Amino acid sequence: MSSQLCIHGHFYQPPRENPWLGSVFPESSAAPSPDWNSRILRESYRPLAYARRLDGRGRIVEIMNCYEWMSFNVGPTLNRWMQVNSPDTLKRIVEGDKASVERLGHGNAIAQCYHHVILPLATDEERRLQVAWATADFAGRFGRRPEGMWLSEAAVDTPTLETLAEQGICFTILAPSQAKAVGGLTEPASWTPVTEGILDISRPYRVDLPSGRSVAVFFYDGAISQAVAFERLLSDGESFWRRLSGRAREREGLLSLGTDGETYGHHFTFGEMALAHVLAKAREGEDGVQITNYSAYLAQNPPKERVMLHEPSAWSCAHGVERWASDCGCTNGDHPGWNQKWRAPLRAALRSVKNMLDRHFTEAGARIFRTPAHALLEYGAVLAAPHDEQPRSLFMEQHFLPDVSRRDRDAAWQLLAMQEAGMASFASCAWFFDEISRIEPLNGLTFALRAMELAATTGARVDIEEMLGHLEKAISNKPEEGTGRELFLKRVAPRSITPGKLTLNALCGLCGSGNVPEPGQRVRQAWPEVEVGIEFTADPSKCAPAGQTGAGSVSGALAGECTIKLPLEERGRVFSFSWLPPDKPGLAHPLDTSVVLNSALREDEQPARYVQLDEAKRTCSLIDPCCEGEVVYGRDLPAGARQLLVGQWLTAGQEAINEKADGLTRFLLGFLPTLEIEQHELIWTHLWSVFSVHVLPAVLDNPDLLEYARPYLREFLQAKDFSPRQLELRRRLVISYLQANLSACRPDWQALLRKREALRDFMPDADLWEIQNALWPLRAQCAGNPDAARCFEAYGFASTLGSL
Ligand SMILES: [Zn+2]
């Protein structure tokens, strides 16, 4: 008797990007990582790509790519973030899917609806768009069409399944509690009511749809999935395996788990190792359990029964999909006395914005696109590869009317970006928790604000008051936060990044990294969602308007021209500016840096409009700040943007210091004489401490040369008076140094061995994780190469690796 195991991980993060830039601003709660995406990448997504399997002595026998052995979906917006911020993790995920296709004929990866919206609460058009964009993103990443799709929060109803079926998606995965009744495939149907305990989850079911199409549904094991999430089942790989194989042996067919990918590593440290242990057991067919994925199982086991679902329903709300629409009482349970009456007005507010966006897209799109709705649906292919010329030109060829002006071609990309931001505002996270002043609802409103600005820029009449009217009815559980209206005015509207703020941000970025260009030389500052081209004119007074405060009125301001455009736009908008840099002598405070921006409208252009806040009157309106010249000071930049700049400057500064200090340290060490007999430590240790992080890379570079100086260098480096932060910096430098040494495809094994020995001596607690990851793909070189085999052993691998 054999049963098959499929462990599914749902990988997703709420959209944290600032919608004007497309970058995630630093979040202090995620420390030591700069933001939560980076933190979960480090704790979960990456460890799963490089999960350790150890022998009894703690040595590595395998670095497993769990994505090769588990079923998974990665949210498209997370894919986009990873593409920029950790392309090698994404590469490993894609490789995992490819390997599973080769093994099983069907891949481990399934798609996920694009913006994680609750599909039963979306319009028909939105549902279609979510599925179409998800499919395009999937095809772009994995090079094949998706067979299955993960529904956000497993939220399902008949229209949702119709949309999946219409677009060729064969199956989805639901919680067992979502099944209402099962029946045979033959007509007339006779239905047997089911509950979670009764439902046979070892097989797929078919949902017959009114259109005549059908979709297959898998139900995961609720009890074990729950235990993985909440009952510390991941604390021990072997007991996890015993629980799974015990359950699997109870009957033939499929045993599948539905889990959040973040459970492994982020919620439970080393959870990825417990998972790898289980996957390895199943891979070896232990206890008669085979490993599979949903697509492969479905291909061999088509549904033999039908299922009727509770509609609408979801995996994390007992009231249909009310958790995302009303005060149903489902929350994370942190604040028992709170209510969620704010949920309905928040949804109404965002819906009123989206309705306006939809009308505007249809009207304004009519002069640009052959069929606006069709163009919107297929825009997902461009989003999947924004830097690829081919999907973009294909899209233009297929969807733009033949005689569209250059101005309208730019407007087209703005309209599409507007709809993207409008859809992102509906990400389910905004309603999931218990309070409207949390980051998730505010992020949703921020995307709506960006969408409204793009609508205004492309000629829509935007009435912010309509949205604010709904938000007035959304009352925070925290009296000091007031209503949604106040939250929008106080916390959301100031996030808007106007052309002036963007230009100042770009200029400060150049300044802090020492890249301010010479007059006449053009430089570009780019973020995922916007680009700024900057060129200084030779004559600083040329662009300074008379009578302006800020940069314009102060002598020595730098003048120039900037172009702001979305990445897909051809022309963008041109402005003249004058800038007072933060490092200008005589400036009282760096935040007095300022920019005066004037729009240089072309004849065929309309002014761009941005949100302006009148705090006294508690109102918000859309204005074109540049028609009359926008003046922006450093202190006007959003806090997150300033944090991001500080991060950029620190990184650039550190790199510059490294380069200098590395060379100097090598030179110093080379001149160091042997110790006097009575001498026990370095002389001038207070000065050496400045170079302490650079000593180790220098020692690693030439361990033999420094034989005589070892004892006191070791004592110096292991002294207790280095702070954990200094040690962290040293650790990072050593890692990047060793990685650089490994980048050759045939590394110098003997040199790597000597470095390892030196590392043992000077930094016994060195973290070899990344180095081991880089070594692992080279393991085939161990065969017949004793140096390579010794090297692997020295870096923590089991000695049997050489004989693999
Ligand atoms: Zn509920």
Side-chain angles (χ1 to χ4, degrees), residues 332-364:
N332 47 336
D334 287 347
H335 305 93
W338 285 9
N339 71 70
Q340 286 75 51
K341 293 189 174 126
W342 52 269
R343 281 179 181 159
L346 174 64
R347 188 165 280 277
L350 293 172
R351 178 50 65 199
S352 75
V353 173
K354 184 65 172 36
N355 288 345
M356 179 276 292
L357 302 176
D358 289 345
R359 282 195 302 274
H360 175 56
F361 185 81
T362 309
E363 281 165 27

PDB file of all heavy atoms in Angstrom, residues 332-364:
ATOM      1  N   ASN A 332      -6.951  38.572  14.801  1.00  0.00           N
ATOM      2  CA  ASN A 332      -5.832  37.813  15.338  1.00  0.00           C
ATOM      3  C   ASN A 332      -5.950  37.677  16.858  1.00  0.00           C
ATOM      4  O   ASN A 332      -5.099  37.078  17.496  1.00  0.00           O
ATOM      5  CB  ASN A 332      -4.494  38.451  14.939  1.00  0.00           C
ATOM      6  CG  ASN A 332      -4.476  39.946  15.175  1.00  0.00           C
ATOM      7  OD1 ASN A 332      -5.531  40.586  15.216  1.00  0.00           O
ATOM      8  ND2 ASN A 332      -3.311  40.505  15.321  1.00  0.00           N
ATOM      9  N   GLY A 333      -6.992  38.259  17.443  1.00  0.00           N
ATOM     10  CA  GLY A 333      -7.291  38.028  18.854  1.00  0.00           C
ATOM     11  C   GLY A 333      -6.444  38.803  19.850  1.00  0.00           C
ATOM     12  O   GLY A 333      -6.448  38.492  21.038  1.00  0.00           O
ATOM     13  N   ASP A 334      -5.737  39.831  19.369  1.00  0.00           N
ATOM     14  CA  ASP A 334      -4.852  40.550  20.283  1.00  0.00           C
ATOM     15  C   ASP A 334      -5.602  41.493  21.229  1.00  0.00           C
ATOM     16  O   ASP A 334      -5.127  41.786  22.319  1.00  0.00           O
ATOM     17  CB  ASP A 334      -3.820  41.365  19.486  1.00  0.00           C
ATOM     18  CG  ASP A 334      -2.775  40.446  18.858  1.00  0.00           C
ATOM     19  OD1 ASP A 334      -2.727  39.268  19.257  1.00  0.00           O
ATOM     20  OD2 ASP A 334      -2.038  40.906  17.977  1.00  0.00           O
ATOM     21  N   HIS A 335      -6.757  42.018  20.783  1.00  0.00           N
ATOM     22  CA  HIS A 335      -7.457  43.035  21.577  1.00  0.00           C
ATOM     23  C   HIS A 335      -8.933  42.677  21.703  1.00  0.00           C
ATOM     24  O   HIS A 335      -9.751  43.154  20.913  1.00  0.00           O
ATOM     25  CB  HIS A 335      -7.318  44.411  20.916  1.00  0.00           C
ATOM     26  CG  HIS A 335      -5.903  44.807  20.674  1.00  0.00           C
ATOM     27  ND1 HIS A 335      -5.252  44.559  19.483  1.00  0.00           N
ATOM     28  CD2 HIS A 335      -4.995  45.409  21.490  1.00  0.00           C
ATOM     29  CE1 HIS A 335      -4.007  45.008  19.570  1.00  0.00           C
ATOM     30  NE2 HIS A 335      -3.827  45.530  20.770  1.00  0.00           N
ATOM     31  N   PRO A 336      -9.266  41.862  22.720  1.00  0.00           N
ATOM     32  CA  PRO A 336     -10.633  41.341  22.850  1.00  0.00           C
ATOM     33  C   PRO A 336     -11.730  42.415  22.838  1.00  0.00           C
ATOM     34  O   PRO A 336     -12.813  42.173  22.334  1.00  0.00           O
ATOM     35  CB  PRO A 336     -10.595  40.618  24.205  1.00  0.00           C
ATOM     36  CG  PRO A 336      -9.169  40.288  24.442  1.00  0.00           C
ATOM     37  CD  PRO A 336      -8.372  41.356  23.779  1.00  0.00           C
ATOM     38  N   GLY A 337     -11.471  43.602  23.361  1.00  0.00           N
ATOM     39  CA  GLY A 337     -12.550  44.592  23.443  1.00  0.00           C
ATOM     40  C   GLY A 337     -12.799  45.379  22.164  1.00  0.00           C
ATOM     41  O   GLY A 337     -13.758  46.145  22.086  1.00  0.00           O
ATOM     42  N   TRP A 338     -11.945  45.200  21.171  1.00  0.00           N
ATOM     43  CA  TRP A 338     -12.037  46.053  19.985  1.00  0.00           C
ATOM     44  C   TRP A 338     -13.116  45.566  19.020  1.00  0.00           C
ATOM     45  O   TRP A 338     -13.473  44.391  18.994  1.00  0.00           O
ATOM     46  CB  TRP A 338     -10.689  46.078  19.262  1.00  0.00           C
ATOM     47  CG  TRP A 338      -9.670  46.929  19.963  1.00  0.00           C
ATOM     48  CD1 TRP A 338      -9.790  47.500  21.203  1.00  0.00           C
ATOM     49  CD2 TRP A 338      -8.372  47.277  19.484  1.00  0.00           C
ATOM     50  NE1 TRP A 338      -8.649  48.185  21.520  1.00  0.00           N
ATOM     51  CE2 TRP A 338      -7.762  48.076  20.485  1.00  0.00           C
ATOM     52  CE3 TRP A 338      -7.658  46.996  18.316  1.00  0.00           C
ATOM     53  CZ2 TRP A 338      -6.477  48.600  20.334  1.00  0.00           C
ATOM     54  CZ3 TRP A 338      -6.380  47.520  18.158  1.00  0.00           C
ATOM     55  CH2 TRP A 338      -5.800  48.309  19.164  1.00  0.00           C
ATOM     56  N   ASN A 339     -13.611  46.492  18.176  1.00  0.00           N
ATOM     57  CA  ASN A 339     -14.532  46.077  17.112  1.00  0.00           C
ATOM     58  C   ASN A 339     -13.894  46.339  15.753  1.00  0.00           C
ATOM     59  O   ASN A 339     -12.886  47.048  15.632  1.00  0.00           O
ATOM     60  CB  ASN A 339     -15.868  46.821  17.234  1.00  0.00           C
ATOM     61  CG  ASN A 339     -15.722  48.279  16.856  1.00  0.00           C
ATOM     62  OD1 ASN A 339     -15.517  48.610  15.690  1.00  0.00           O
ATOM     63  ND2 ASN A 339     -15.795  49.164  17.846  1.00  0.00           N
ATOM     64  N   GLN A 340     -14.508  45.772  14.733  1.00  0.00           N
ATOM     65  CA  GLN A 340     -13.988  45.945  13.374  1.00  0.00           C
ATOM     66  C   GLN A 340     -15.055  46.569  12.468  1.00  0.00           C
ATOM     67  O   GLN A 340     -15.200  46.209  11.301  1.00  0.00           O
ATOM     68  CB  GLN A 340     -13.510  44.611  12.802  1.00  0.00           C
ATOM     69  CG  GLN A 340     -12.192  44.129  13.408  1.00  0.00           C
ATOM     70  CD  GLN A 340     -12.378  43.593  14.808  1.00  0.00           C
ATOM     71  OE1 GLN A 340     -13.238  42.755  15.039  1.00  0.00           O
ATOM     72  NE2 GLN A 340     -11.604  44.093  15.764  1.00  0.00           N
ATOM     73  N   LYS A 341     -15.811  47.501  13.071  1.00  0.00           N
ATOM     74  CA  LYS A 341     -16.842  48.180  12.280  1.00  0.00           C
ATOM     75  C   LYS A 341     -16.222  49.059  11.199  1.00  0.00           C
ATOM     76  O   LYS A 341     -16.920  49.500  10.299  1.00  0.00           O
ATOM     77  CB  LYS A 341     -17.721  49.030  13.206  1.00  0.00           C
ATOM     78  CG  LYS A 341     -18.546  48.174  14.169  1.00  0.00           C
ATOM     79  CD  LYS A 341     -19.565  48.998  14.929  1.00  0.00           C
ATOM     80  CE  LYS A 341     -20.440  48.062  15.753  1.00  0.00           C
ATOM     81  NZ  LYS A 341     -20.469  48.427  17.166  1.00  0.00           N
ATOM     82  N   TRP A 342     -14.926  49.314  11.287  1.00  0.00           N
ATOM     83  CA  TRP A 342     -14.234  50.136  10.286  1.00  0.00           C
ATOM     84  C   TRP A 342     -14.067  49.394   8.950  1.00  0.00           C
ATOM     85  O   TRP A 342     -13.778  49.993   7.937  1.00  0.00           O
ATOM     86  CB  TRP A 342     -12.855  50.549  10.815  1.00  0.00           C
ATOM     87  CG  TRP A 342     -12.033  49.377  11.303  1.00  0.00           C
ATOM     88  CD1 TRP A 342     -11.995  48.876  12.566  1.00  0.00           C
ATOM     89  CD2 TRP A 342     -11.168  48.541  10.514  1.00  0.00           C
ATOM     90  NE1 TRP A 342     -11.158  47.782  12.634  1.00  0.00           N
ATOM     91  CE2 TRP A 342     -10.634  47.553  11.397  1.00  0.00           C
ATOM     92  CE3 TRP A 342     -10.782  48.522   9.183  1.00  0.00           C
ATOM     93  CZ2 TRP A 342      -9.752  46.568  10.972  1.00  0.00           C
ATOM     94  CZ3 TRP A 342      -9.907  47.540   8.752  1.00  0.00           C
ATOM     95  CH2 TRP A 342      -9.402  46.566   9.636  1.00  0.00           C
ATOM     96  N   ARG A 343     -14.251  48.062   8.997  1.00  0.00           N
ATOM     97  CA  ARG A 343     -13.952  47.288   7.779  1.00  0.00           C
ATOM     98  C   ARG A 343     -14.862  47.667   6.613  1.00  0.00           C
ATOM     99  O   ARG A 343     -14.395  47.844   5.483  1.00  0.00           O
ATOM    100  CB  ARG A 343     -14.095  45.792   8.070  1.00  0.00           C
ATOM    101  CG  ARG A 343     -12.893  45.204   8.783  1.00  0.00           C
ATOM    102  CD  ARG A 343     -13.102  43.735   9.072  1.00  0.00           C
ATOM    103  NE  ARG A 343     -11.972  43.149   9.777  1.00  0.00           N
ATOM    104  CZ  ARG A 343     -12.052  42.034  10.491  1.00  0.00           C
ATOM    105  NH1 ARG A 343     -13.211  41.406  10.623  1.00  0.00           N
ATOM    106  NH2 ARG A 343     -10.977  41.547  11.079  1.00  0.00           N
ATOM    107  N   ALA A 344     -16.170  47.797   6.889  1.00  0.00           N
ATOM    108  CA  ALA A 344     -17.107  48.079   5.795  1.00  0.00           C
ATOM    109  C   ALA A 344     -16.847  49.460   5.177  1.00  0.00           C
ATOM    110  O   ALA A 344     -16.725  49.572   3.950  1.00  0.00           O
ATOM    111  CB  ALA A 344     -18.543  47.943   6.292  1.00  0.00           C
ATOM    112  N   PRO A 345     -16.752  50.542   5.982  1.00  0.00           N
ATOM    113  CA  PRO A 345     -16.473  51.829   5.345  1.00  0.00           C
ATOM    114  C   PRO A 345     -15.119  51.884   4.639  1.00  0.00           C
ATOM    115  O   PRO A 345     -14.984  52.585   3.625  1.00  0.00           O
ATOM    116  CB  PRO A 345     -16.536  52.844   6.496  1.00  0.00           C
ATOM    117  CG  PRO A 345     -16.691  52.077   7.750  1.00  0.00           C
ATOM    118  CD  PRO A 345     -17.102  50.687   7.413  1.00  0.00           C
ATOM    119  N   LEU A 346     -14.121  51.150   5.152  1.00  0.00           N
ATOM    120  CA  LEU A 346     -12.829  51.134   4.442  1.00  0.00           C
ATOM    121  C   LEU A 346     -13.009  50.530   3.052  1.00  0.00           C
ATOM    122  O   LEU A 346     -12.513  51.050   2.049  1.00  0.00           O
ATOM    123  CB  LEU A 346     -11.786  50.335   5.232  1.00  0.00           C
ATOM    124  CG  LEU A 346     -10.447  50.140   4.530  1.00  0.00           C
ATOM    125  CD1 LEU A 346      -9.725  51.466   4.313  1.00  0.00           C
ATOM    126  CD2 LEU A 346      -9.527  49.177   5.301  1.00  0.00           C
ATOM    127  N   ARG A 347     -13.755  49.440   2.998  1.00  0.00           N
ATOM    128  CA  ARG A 347     -13.984  48.814   1.691  1.00  0.00           C
ATOM    129  C   ARG A 347     -14.801  49.739   0.789  1.00  0.00           C
ATOM    130  O   ARG A 347     -14.502  49.885  -0.398  1.00  0.00           O
ATOM    131  CB  ARG A 347     -14.666  47.450   1.847  1.00  0.00           C
ATOM    132  CG  ARG A 347     -14.770  46.665   0.546  1.00  0.00           C
ATOM    133  CD  ARG A 347     -15.093  45.204   0.756  1.00  0.00           C
ATOM    134  NE  ARG A 347     -13.921  44.411   1.120  1.00  0.00           N
ATOM    135  CZ  ARG A 347     -13.028  43.916   0.253  1.00  0.00           C
ATOM    136  NH1 ARG A 347     -13.175  44.132  -1.042  1.00  0.00           N
ATOM    137  NH2 ARG A 347     -12.002  43.214   0.661  1.00  0.00           N
ATOM    138  N   ALA A 348     -15.811  50.408   1.382  1.00  0.00           N
ATOM    139  CA  ALA A 348     -16.633  51.318   0.576  1.00  0.00           C
ATOM    140  C   ALA A 348     -15.785  52.465   0.032  1.00  0.00           C
ATOM    141  O   ALA A 348     -15.950  52.892  -1.125  1.00  0.00           O
ATOM    142  CB  ALA A 348     -17.779  51.859   1.424  1.00  0.00           C
ATOM    143  N   ALA A 349     -14.864  52.968   0.862  1.00  0.00           N
ATOM    144  CA  ALA A 349     -13.998  54.071   0.422  1.00  0.00           C
ATOM    145  C   ALA A 349     -13.142  53.639  -0.769  1.00  0.00           C
ATOM    146  O   ALA A 349     -13.069  54.318  -1.795  1.00  0.00           O
ATOM    147  CB  ALA A 349     -13.108  54.514   1.584  1.00  0.00           C
ATOM    148  N   LEU A 350     -12.509  52.479  -0.626  1.00  0.00           N
ATOM    149  CA  LEU A 350     -11.631  52.004  -1.702  1.00  0.00           C
ATOM    150  C   LEU A 350     -12.445  51.643  -2.943  1.00  0.00           C
ATOM    151  O   LEU A 350     -12.001  51.841  -4.071  1.00  0.00           O
ATOM    152  CB  LEU A 350     -10.801  50.811  -1.218  1.00  0.00           C
ATOM    153  CG  LEU A 350      -9.775  51.161  -0.125  1.00  0.00           C
ATOM    154  CD1 LEU A 350      -9.137  49.907   0.448  1.00  0.00           C
ATOM    155  CD2 LEU A 350      -8.694  52.077  -0.699  1.00  0.00           C
ATOM    156  N   ARG A 351     -13.659  51.146  -2.714  1.00  0.00           N
ATOM    157  CA  ARG A 351     -14.513  50.797  -3.859  1.00  0.00           C
ATOM    158  C   ARG A 351     -14.902  52.054  -4.633  1.00  0.00           C
ATOM    159  O   ARG A 351     -14.922  52.056  -5.856  1.00  0.00           O
ATOM    160  CB  ARG A 351     -15.747  50.028  -3.346  1.00  0.00           C
ATOM    161  CG  ARG A 351     -16.768  49.613  -4.379  1.00  0.00           C
ATOM    162  CD  ARG A 351     -16.181  48.897  -5.583  1.00  0.00           C
ATOM    163  NE  ARG A 351     -15.576  47.604  -5.282  1.00  0.00           N
ATOM    164  CZ  ARG A 351     -14.700  47.004  -6.096  1.00  0.00           C
ATOM    165  NH1 ARG A 351     -14.342  47.550  -7.262  1.00  0.00           N
ATOM    166  NH2 ARG A 351     -14.184  45.832  -5.755  1.00  0.00           N
ATOM    167  N   SER A 352     -15.196  53.148  -3.901  1.00  0.00           N
ATOM    168  CA  SER A 352     -15.583  54.373  -4.611  1.00  0.00           C
ATOM    169  C   SER A 352     -14.414  54.880  -5.458  1.00  0.00           C
ATOM    170  O   SER A 352     -14.608  55.352  -6.577  1.00  0.00           O
ATOM    171  CB  SER A 352     -16.061  55.445  -3.618  1.00  0.00           C
ATOM    172  OG  SER A 352     -14.957  56.018  -2.938  1.00  0.00           O
ATOM    173  N   VAL A 353     -13.206  54.748  -4.932  1.00  0.00           N
ATOM    174  CA  VAL A 353     -12.035  55.157  -5.723  1.00  0.00           C
ATOM    175  C   VAL A 353     -11.903  54.259  -6.955  1.00  0.00           C
ATOM    176  O   VAL A 353     -11.740  54.728  -8.082  1.00  0.00           O
ATOM    177  CB  VAL A 353     -10.740  55.080  -4.876  1.00  0.00           C
ATOM    178  CG1 VAL A 353      -9.514  55.339  -5.740  1.00  0.00           C
ATOM    179  CG2 VAL A 353     -10.804  56.059  -3.715  1.00  0.00           C
ATOM    180  N   LYS A 354     -12.019  52.962  -6.714  1.00  0.00           N
ATOM    181  CA  LYS A 354     -11.797  52.019  -7.819  1.00  0.00           C
ATOM    182  C   LYS A 354     -12.862  52.192  -8.907  1.00  0.00           C
ATOM    183  O   LYS A 354     -12.555  52.094 -10.101  1.00  0.00           O
ATOM    184  CB  LYS A 354     -11.791  50.585  -7.272  1.00  0.00           C
ATOM    185  CG  LYS A 354     -11.472  49.507  -8.289  1.00  0.00           C
ATOM    186  CD  LYS A 354     -10.046  49.641  -8.809  1.00  0.00           C
ATOM    187  CE  LYS A 354      -9.574  48.497  -9.676  1.00  0.00           C
ATOM    188  NZ  LYS A 354     -10.530  47.893 -10.542  1.00  0.00           N
ATOM    189  N   ASN A 355     -14.097  52.464  -8.508  1.00  0.00           N
ATOM    190  CA  ASN A 355     -15.138  52.697  -9.517  1.00  0.00           C
ATOM    191  C   ASN A 355     -14.777  53.889 -10.392  1.00  0.00           C
ATOM    192  O   ASN A 355     -14.937  53.856 -11.613  1.00  0.00           O
ATOM    193  CB  ASN A 355     -16.491  52.946  -8.841  1.00  0.00           C
ATOM    194  CG  ASN A 355     -17.057  51.659  -8.250  1.00  0.00           C
ATOM    195  OD1 ASN A 355     -16.594  50.558  -8.566  1.00  0.00           O
ATOM    196  ND2 ASN A 355     -18.048  51.798  -7.377  1.00  0.00           N
ATOM    197  N   MET A 356     -14.263  54.955  -9.760  1.00  0.00           N
ATOM    198  CA  MET A 356     -13.844  56.131 -10.514  1.00  0.00           C
ATOM    199  C   MET A 356     -12.705  55.767 -11.465  1.00  0.00           C
ATOM    200  O   MET A 356     -12.700  56.144 -12.635  1.00  0.00           O
ATOM    201  CB  MET A 356     -13.420  57.224  -9.522  1.00  0.00           C
ATOM    202  CG  MET A 356     -12.919  58.516 -10.122  1.00  0.00           C
ATOM    203  SD  MET A 356     -11.176  58.495 -10.561  1.00  0.00           S
ATOM    204  CE  MET A 356     -10.408  58.416  -8.954  1.00  0.00           C
ATOM    205  N   LEU A 357     -11.731  54.989 -10.959  1.00  0.00           N
ATOM    206  CA  LEU A 357     -10.589  54.590 -11.788  1.00  0.00           C
ATOM    207  C   LEU A 357     -11.070  53.790 -13.000  1.00  0.00           C
ATOM    208  O   LEU A 357     -10.605  54.000 -14.131  1.00  0.00           O
ATOM    209  CB  LEU A 357      -9.600  53.732 -10.995  1.00  0.00           C
ATOM    210  CG  LEU A 357      -8.968  54.308  -9.720  1.00  0.00           C
ATOM    211  CD1 LEU A 357      -8.087  53.251  -9.050  1.00  0.00           C
ATOM    212  CD2 LEU A 357      -8.143  55.541 -10.032  1.00  0.00           C
ATOM    213  N   ASP A 358     -12.005  52.880 -12.753  1.00  0.00           N
ATOM    214  CA  ASP A 358     -12.495  52.033 -13.845  1.00  0.00           C
ATOM    215  C   ASP A 358     -13.178  52.868 -14.928  1.00  0.00           C
ATOM    216  O   ASP A 358     -12.954  52.669 -16.124  1.00  0.00           O
ATOM    217  CB  ASP A 358     -13.460  50.965 -13.300  1.00  0.00           C
ATOM    218  CG  ASP A 358     -12.730  49.901 -12.485  1.00  0.00           C
ATOM    219  OD1 ASP A 358     -11.481  49.830 -12.586  1.00  0.00           O
ATOM    220  OD2 ASP A 358     -13.394  49.152 -11.743  1.00  0.00           O
ATOM    221  N   ARG A 359     -14.018  53.812 -14.503  1.00  0.00           N
ATOM    222  CA  ARG A 359     -14.694  54.699 -15.478  1.00  0.00           C
ATOM    223  C   ARG A 359     -13.662  55.488 -16.273  1.00  0.00           C
ATOM    224  O   ARG A 359     -13.717  55.565 -17.488  1.00  0.00           O
ATOM    225  CB  ARG A 359     -15.629  55.678 -14.747  1.00  0.00           C
ATOM    226  CG  ARG A 359     -16.959  55.099 -14.299  1.00  0.00           C
ATOM    227  CD  ARG A 359     -17.933  56.221 -13.938  1.00  0.00           C
ATOM    228  NE  ARG A 359     -17.415  57.110 -12.890  1.00  0.00           N
ATOM    229  CZ  ARG A 359     -17.536  56.869 -11.574  1.00  0.00           C
ATOM    230  NH1 ARG A 359     -18.161  55.786 -11.156  1.00  0.00           N
ATOM    231  NH2 ARG A 359     -17.038  57.713 -10.684  1.00  0.00           N
ATOM    232  N   HIS A 360     -12.702  56.041 -15.544  1.00  0.00           N
ATOM    233  CA  HIS A 360     -11.692  56.872 -16.206  1.00  0.00           C
ATOM    234  C   HIS A 360     -10.852  56.042 -17.171  1.00  0.00           C
ATOM    235  O   HIS A 360     -10.532  56.479 -18.275  1.00  0.00           O
ATOM    236  CB  HIS A 360     -10.814  57.537 -15.144  1.00  0.00           C
ATOM    237  CG  HIS A 360      -9.672  58.326 -15.712  1.00  0.00           C
ATOM    238  ND1 HIS A 360      -9.869  59.353 -16.630  1.00  0.00           N
ATOM    239  CD2 HIS A 360      -8.326  58.250 -15.529  1.00  0.00           C
ATOM    240  CE1 HIS A 360      -8.691  59.868 -16.971  1.00  0.00           C
ATOM    241  NE2 HIS A 360      -7.750  59.203 -16.324  1.00  0.00           N
ATOM    242  N   PHE A 361     -10.509  54.836 -16.750  1.00  0.00           N
ATOM    243  CA  PHE A 361      -9.684  53.986 -17.618  1.00  0.00           C
ATOM    244  C   PHE A 361     -10.420  53.703 -18.932  1.00  0.00           C
ATOM    245  O   PHE A 361      -9.840  53.770 -20.017  1.00  0.00           O
ATOM    246  CB  PHE A 361      -9.336  52.670 -16.918  1.00  0.00           C
ATOM    247  CG  PHE A 361      -8.401  51.808 -17.724  1.00  0.00           C
ATOM    248  CD1 PHE A 361      -7.045  52.045 -17.729  1.00  0.00           C
ATOM    249  CD2 PHE A 361      -8.902  50.769 -18.519  1.00  0.00           C
ATOM    250  CE1 PHE A 361      -6.174  51.276 -18.499  1.00  0.00           C
ATOM    251  CE2 PHE A 361      -8.043  49.996 -19.294  1.00  0.00           C
ATOM    252  CZ  PHE A 361      -6.681  50.250 -19.271  1.00  0.00           C
ATOM    253  N   THR A 362     -11.703  53.409 -18.816  1.00  0.00           N
ATOM    254  CA  THR A 362     -12.482  53.104 -20.024  1.00  0.00           C
ATOM    255  C   THR A 362     -12.572  54.334 -20.928  1.00  0.00           C
ATOM    256  O   THR A 362     -12.374  54.229 -22.143  1.00  0.00           O
ATOM    257  CB  THR A 362     -13.892  52.632 -19.618  1.00  0.00           C
ATOM    258  OG1 THR A 362     -13.746  51.594 -18.651  1.00  0.00           O
ATOM    259  CG2 THR A 362     -14.672  52.108 -20.801  1.00  0.00           C
ATOM    260  N   GLU A 363     -12.851  55.494 -20.305  1.00  0.00           N
ATOM    261  CA  GLU A 363     -13.007  56.716 -21.122  1.00  0.00           C
ATOM    262  C   GLU A 363     -11.684  57.172 -21.730  1.00  0.00           C
ATOM    263  O   GLU A 363     -11.566  57.337 -22.941  1.00  0.00           O
ATOM    264  CB  GLU A 363     -13.551  57.852 -20.231  1.00  0.00           C
ATOM    265  CG  GLU A 363     -15.051  57.757 -19.995  1.00  0.00           C
ATOM    266  CD  GLU A 363     -15.486  58.651 -18.840  1.00  0.00           C
ATOM    267  OE1 GLU A 363     -14.804  59.680 -18.575  1.00  0.00           O
ATOM    268  OE2 GLU A 363     -16.486  58.295 -18.185  1.00  0.00           O
ATOM    269  N   ALA A 364     -10.679  57.361 -20.874  1.00  0.00           N
ATOM    270  CA  ALA A 364      -9.394  57.870 -21.368  1.00  0.00           C
ATOM    271  C   ALA A 364      -8.701  56.824 -22.231  1.00  0.00           C
ATOM    272  O   ALA A 364      -8.007  57.158 -23.198  1.00  0.00           O
ATOM    273  CB  ALA A 364      -8.506  58.260 -20.195  1.00  0.00           C
TER     274      ALA A 364
END
